[in-house]
């Protein structure tokens, strides 16, 4: 059981292809693991063991008949419950959409199905990808696999917990202000938000149209690159989709970092905000490791973190309220308190403020991208604090905005959260790698080199 | 932390939509003006805190480096079929 829980996608894929592992046997093992432990972690909002076993049996038959579809054939995955899976409810973890049955698959779901993936279920989220962790919703909040008394990050909370807990090897999340990278950093897994427009958002409940990204959470860098390879691509029916070549994200894995120019964006976590001492020390140790791996390190600077955050929030609040206004008029009581408060913030943002935020966004984006004239990759913080207790609303409120992920939703840059160890109390820490648009393969190269030179990928939580 | 925000939120008796600090009564009227008539007192407290927080975000927008000609980040792109 334990061996199955911690198999990577790459390992599983090889075993399935060579018929040394049965997709049905593997799916059954992961289903049993979740049935045993998830009552303590709430990663799944709606597990779908029947669908998983049907998918697994189909994969097994096809593989045995020589009709192997590729590296995701027979591999389990989960979807944050704002992503449509036809004929299942997409609830956004909210009473508002409790009975909202999807009529079609999201584009990412289509791709995972076509690849022969095994669908394990819908995963918990913060309500409408913003309100959490909340205890006043129809389903409980996901908890941290390393210590269930602690926050697992969000809003792709179940995606982080499920991958971190070994319930499945890969999950889809979404990221509007950091919601893939946050649970990644807090659950000790790898989380990628690619360039804006790289992955289709069609079939995903919107939070803020111009900031929303679909992303990937896995336990290893290689698996993450493999998943992005599968789901990236132009979609003419998504107005934000980038008509740009995609794929090849595993191509640079294993290349060394000699001569690579890495900029440290230190003022985000050392001046604009003071990161927790253990977080800051972990970042600096990671930078030292990258130096040892041959990277040329320099320091870079940009506008203050707070300027980016204000830009992100004014845009996010405005666009999100446009989505939620009708429900706020008709069903305000059906939101949880946190989502209601966070979403209502857009009710009275002036039109001029929204436009000005988008004007500032263009300037910030241009200035930030200019940094890549001098460096290849930027390293900075992800979360400023280790995971706090999930039952401490003041601590959650305090740490909620203490992050440096939102800037890269503003700029649309690819951002990758990578595990960098643990606090003294055994809670995960992480850094964030950021690149110029469509440089995901390079980010994976740096992350992979770091991962291979560090012990963290082989450490797993002991579940209750 | 929330208590501190509540005190700040209720400190100013004068208000307009763009003011930093609104009262509960003022925010109730503003909400009703946009059709949010089903908010109870708890919801209105949520709205009051949220509006004040949003105003703080608006104030933090640093527009000092922009000229009148600086364009928004997203504009209609007719090369991508937006005319259809």
């Amino acid at each position: 059981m334990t061996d199955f829980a911690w198999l990577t996608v790459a390992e599983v894929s090889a075993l399935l292809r060579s018929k040394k592992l049965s997709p049905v046997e593997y799916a059954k093992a992961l289903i049993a693991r979740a049935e045993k432990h998830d009552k303590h972690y709430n990663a799944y909002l709606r597990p779908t063991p029947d669908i998983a076993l049907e998918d697994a049996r189909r994969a097994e038959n096809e593989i045995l008949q020589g009709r192997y579809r590729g590296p995701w054939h027979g591999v389990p995955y989960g979807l944050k419950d704002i992503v449509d899976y036809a004929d299942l409810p997409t609830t956004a973890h909210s009473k508002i959409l409790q009975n909202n049955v999807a009529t079609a698959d999201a584009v990412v779901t289509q791709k995972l199905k076509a690849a022969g993936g095994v669908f394990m279920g819908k995963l918990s989220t913060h309500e409408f990808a913003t309100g959490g962790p909340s205890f006043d919703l129809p389903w409980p909040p996901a908890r941290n696999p390393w210590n269930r008394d602690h926050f697992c990050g969000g809003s792709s909370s179940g995606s982080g917990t499920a991958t971190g807990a070994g319930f499945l090897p890969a999950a889809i999340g979404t990221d509007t202000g950091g919601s893939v990278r946050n649970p990644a950093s807090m659950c000790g897994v790898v989380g990628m938000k690619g360039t804006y427009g790289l992955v289709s958002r069609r079939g995903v409940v919107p939070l803020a149209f111009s900031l929303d990204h679909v992303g990937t959470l896995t336990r290893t860098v290689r698996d993450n690159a493999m998943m992005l390879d599968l789901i990236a691509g132009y979609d003419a029916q998504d107005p934000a989709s980038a008509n740009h070549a995609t794929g090849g994200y595993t191509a640079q894995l294993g290349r060394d970092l000699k001569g690579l120019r890495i900029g440290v964006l230190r003022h985000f976590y050392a001046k604009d905000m003071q990161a927790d001492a253990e977080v800051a020390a972990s970042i600096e140790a990671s930078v030292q490791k990258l130096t040892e791996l041959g990277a040329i390190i320099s320091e870079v600077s940009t506008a203050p973190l707070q300027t980016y955050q204000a830009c992100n929030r004014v845009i996010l609040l405005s666009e999100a309220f446009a989505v939620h206004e009708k429900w706020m008029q008709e069903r305000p009581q059906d939101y949880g308190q946190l989502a209601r408060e966070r979403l209502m913030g857009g009710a009275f943002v002036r039109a001029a403020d929204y436009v000005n935020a988008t004007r500032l966004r263009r300037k910030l984006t241009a200035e930030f991208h200019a940094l890549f004239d001098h460096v290849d990759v930027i390293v900075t913080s992800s979360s400023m604090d280790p995971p706090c207790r999930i039952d401490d609303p003041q601590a959650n409120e305090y740490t909620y905005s203490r992050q440096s992920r939102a800037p890269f939703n503003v700029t649309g840059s690819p951002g990758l959260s990578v595990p960098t160890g643990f606090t003294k109390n055994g809670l995960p820490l992480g850094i964030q790698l950021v690149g110029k648009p469509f440089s995901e393969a390079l980010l994976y190269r740096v992350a992979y080199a770091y991962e291979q030179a560090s012990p963290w990928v082989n450490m797993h939580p002991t579940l209750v | 932390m929330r208590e501190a925000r509540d005190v700040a939120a209720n400190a100013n008796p004068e208000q307009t939509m763009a003011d930093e600090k609104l009262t509960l009564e003022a925010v109730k009227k503003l909400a009703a003006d946009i059709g949010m008539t089903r908010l109870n007192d708890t919801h209105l407290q949520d709205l009051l805190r949220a509006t004040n927080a949003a105003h703080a975000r608006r104030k933090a927008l640093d527009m000092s480096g922009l000229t009148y000609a600086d364009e928004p980040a997203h504009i209609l792109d007719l090369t991508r079929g937006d005319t259809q």
Side-chain angles (χ1 to χ4, degrees):
Chain A
M1 180 76 72
T2 301
D3 289 340
F4 283 150
W6 307 120
L7 285 175
T8 68
V9 173
E11 290 167 344
V12 166
S13 187
L15 290 169
L16 293 175
R17 183 176 194 174
S18 60
K19 301 170 191 167
K20 291 176 180 165
L21 175 65
S22 151
V24 177
E25 181 187 10
Y26 181 47
K28 281 183 176 175
L30 295 189
I31 290 168
R33 180 176 174 82
E35 285 177 344
K36 180 179 180 185
H37 295 288
D38 197 38
K39 55 184 176 285
H40 302 296
Y41 296 93
N42 313 319
Y44 282 108
L45 184 148
R46 184 183 304 275
T48 57
D50 292 344
I51 295 175
L53 290 175
E54 187 182 334
D55 287 348
R57 288 190 192 102
R58 187 185 311 112
E60 183 162 276
N61 287 334
E62 290 174 350
I63 292 170
L64 288 173
Q65 291 167 15
R67 290 185 286 140
Y68 181 69
R69 298 195 203 184
W72 286 89
H73 205 175
V75 175
Y77 68 94
L79 299 173
K80 180 180 183 176
D81 198 23
I82 67 169
V83 179
D84 283 349
Y85 187 102
D87 301 323
L88 288 180
T90 301
T91 70
H93 211 124
S94 177
K95 190 176 179 182
I96 299 278
L97 293 182
Q98 197 161 5
N99 301 310
N100 171 49
V101 177
T103 56
D105 289 327
V107 171
V108 288
T109 310
Q110 290 171 16
K111 292 188 176 188
L112 284 155
K113 278 186 174 179
V118 172
F119 179 60
M120 300 291 283
K122 290 298 198 75
L123 299 164
S124 299
T125 168
H126 291 175
E127 187 176 18
F128 283 107
T130 189
S134 296
F135 292 86
D136 57 353
L137 302 176
W139 304 271
R143 291 169 174 266
N144 197 305
W146 293 88
N147 183 334
R148 67 178 299 276
D149 293 332
H150 286 255
F151 185 36
C152 59
S155 64
S156 307
S157 46
S159 305
T161 298
T163 48
F167 296 159
L168 39 72
I172 293 293
T174 64
D175 192 314
T176 306
S179 289
V180 162
R181 293 159 288 159
N182 182 13
S185 68
M186 294 203 173
C187 294
V189 301
V190 179
M192 168 65 98
K193 173 204 84 69
T195 305
Y196 183 68
L198 186 75
V199 180
S200 173
R201 308 158 306 152
R202 184 154 55 94
V204 179
V205 177
L207 175 57
F209 303 103
S210 74
L211 299 166
D212 288 344
H213 300 63
V214 175
T216 47
L217 294 100
T218 59
R219 286 190 296 274
T220 71
V221 173
R222 180 179 292 279
D223 288 358
N224 209 284
M226 289 172 65
M227 195 173 207
L228 191 65
D229 261 337
L230 179 68
I231 67 168
Y234 178 60
D235 172 18
Q237 295 181 63
D238 175 350
S241 187
N243 194 353
H244 191 279
T246 60
Y249 301 120
T250 62
Q252 295 187 36
L253 302 185
R255 284 183 58 185
D256 67 36
L257 304 187
K258 289 189 177 67
L260 203 69
R261 303 169 301 168
I262 295 183
V264 182
L265 185 44
R266 192 171 273 120
H267 66 82
F268 273 8
Y269 59 88
K271 181 183 172 191
D272 303 337
M273 283 186 187
Q274 290 286 339
D276 168 90
E278 284 186 285
V279 171
S282 176
I283 298 168
E284 298 305 334
S286 305
V287 171
Q288 177 58 35
K289 178 69 75 179
L290 294 171
T291 307
E292 293 165 12
L293 291 168
I296 300 167
I297 305 294
S298 62
E299 191 154 342
V300 294
S301 65
T302 181
L305 176 56
Q306 288 81 358
T307 301
Y308 284 96
Q309 288 187 325
C311 184
N312 178 280
R313 287 296 141 175
V314 170
I315 294 170
L316 191 158
L317 291 171
S318 306
E319 296 182 4
F321 192 77
V323 174
H324 287 270
E325 180 176 23
K326 186 172 171 60
W327 289 322
M328 287 293 178
Q329 292 167 336
E330 297 176 352
R331 303 174 60 184
Q333 74 283 358
D334 287 343
Y335 287 91
Q337 190 275 329
L338 271 179
R340 186 170 53 240
E341 179 171 340
R342 288 177 184 163
L343 291 166
M344 286 199 302
F348 305 123
V349 175
R350 300 179 311 161
D353 294 328
Y354 174 67
V355 174
N356 279 336
T358 69
R359 295 171 73 212
L360 179 60
R361 181 183 193 177
R362 179 179 287 276
K363 175 173 177 280
L364 290 172
T365 301
E367 289 176 359
F368 183 74
H369 288 165
L371 295 177
F372 293 101
D373 292 342
H374 309 287
V375 297
D376 301 304
V377 171
I378 287 175
V379 176
T380 191
S381 45
S382 178
S383 298
M384 297 290 171
D385 305 284
C388 64
R389 286 189 64 90
I390 195 169
D391 59 356
D392 184 342
Q394 289 201 332
N396 279 294
E397 185 78 24
Y398 174 72
T399 57
Y400 181 73
S401 61
R402 281 176 46 80
Q403 50 104 331
S404 50
R405 297 175 284 264
F408 311 115
N409 296 81
V410 170
T411 63
S413 317
L416 178 62
S417 181
V418 184
T420 55
F422 299 87
T423 66
K424 289 194 293 284
N425 294 327
L427 293 166
L429 298 165
I431 53 167
Q432 183 176 204
L433 304 177
V434 185
K436 62 184 176 185
F438 305 104
S439 68
E440 286 81 4
L442 181 58
L443 296 188
Y444 283 131
R445 170 183 164 189
V446 175
Y448 185 79
Y450 174 83
E451 178 187 75
Q452 295 303 302
S454 308
W456 319 124
V457 73
N458 297 315
M459 299 176 74
H460 307 299
T462 302
L463 304 186
V464 295
Chain B
M1 189 174 303
R2 174 147 296 172
E3 291 78 3
R5 286 191 304 171
D6 289 344
V7 169
N10 289 296
N12 188 346
E14 299 296 326
Q15 61 280 150
T16 67
M17 189 182 291
D19 274 347
E20 280 304 299
K21 298 190 176 61
L22 297 164
T23 65
L24 204 58
E25 275 308 304
V27 89
K28 185 176 183 178
K29 181 178 183 314
L30 290 169
D33 287 346
I34 60 167
M36 292 168 61
T37 56
R38 299 187 181 185
L39 303 182
N40 64 26
D41 286 348
T42 302
H43 303 161
L44 288 167
Q45 290 285 359
D46 293 341
L47 178 59
L48 184 60
R49 282 192 299 272
T51 302
N52 286 327
H55 285 166
R57 294 294 195 188
R58 176 182 62 83
K59 270 195 77 174
L61 288 176
D62 180 5
M63 304 299 292
S64 59
L66 271 71
T67 72
Y68 61 79
D70 280 300
E71 298 254 3
H74 51 288
I75 57 173
L76 197 62
D77 182 350
L78 299 180
T79 65
R80 292 166 51 94
D82 288 348
T83 53
Q84 295 169 10

